[in-house]
């Protein structure tokens, strides 16, 4: 940690489920948190605006709003990190299959590649 008050250094902690509890359990870490910020999932209206601007694969004519809506409902759930992972898998799948655009089969294949945590 950095305690030089004359510096403009900023440290940002990010994490998923359980990070709040972990940071709170360590007094030296918690004492350095100036502000807690939780990021909520994007509503569908925002997804339909943000995702086509995020990557060219979603801006193509083949990636219509119904396909984006289906993917958000079935896999991404308004989570930008999930959208980034799905997009990566899509671009790999498009390259490997020689497809020029997104279709329902390729999309389902891409988000089937998402890792799901197992709850013990």
């Amino acid at each position: 940690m950095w305690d030089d008050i004359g510096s403009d250094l900023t440290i940002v902690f990010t994490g998923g489920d359980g990070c709040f509890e972990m940071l709170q359990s360590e007094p030296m870490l918690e004492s350095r948190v100036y502000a807690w910020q939780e990021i909520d999932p994007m509503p569908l209206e925002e997804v339909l605006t943000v995702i086509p601007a995020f990557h060219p694969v979603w801006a193509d004519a083949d990636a219509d709003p119904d396909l984006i809506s289906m993917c958000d409902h079935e896999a991404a759930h308004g989570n930008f990190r999930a959208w980034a992972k799905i997009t990566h898998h899509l671009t790999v799948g498009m390259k490997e299959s020689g497809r020029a655009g997104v279709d329902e089969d390729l999309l389902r294949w891409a988000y089937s590649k998402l890792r799901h945590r197992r709850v013990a």
Side-chain angles (χ1 to χ4, degrees), residues 64-84:
D64 66 36
D66 290 337
L67 205 55
I68 293 172
S69 297
M70 181 191 79
C71 180
D72 194 58
H73 175 74
E74 294 181 356
H77 311 291
N79 181 298
F80 194 80
R81 185 181 302 174
W83 276 106

Side-chain angles (χ1 to χ4, degrees), residues 1-12 32:
M1 303 311 302
W2 195 263
D3 284 329
D4 180 0
I5 60 172
S7 127
D8 289 332
L9 182 68
T10 300
I11 298 173
V12 177
R32 287 168 169 80

Side-chain angles (χ1 to χ4, degrees), residues 29-70:
L29 291 175
E30 185 188 27
S31 70
R32 287 168 169 80
V33 176
Y34 177 74
W36 296 95
Q37 182 67 43
E38 187 171 340
I39 300 172
D40 293 326
M42 294 181 287
L44 182 58
E45 301 77 36
E46 188 174 353
V47 167
L48 292 172
T49 301
V50 170
I51 297 307
F54 164 60
H55 194 279
V57 74
W58 299 111
D60 289 344
D62 291 339
D64 66 36
D66 290 337
L67 205 55
I68 293 172
S69 297
M70 181 191 79

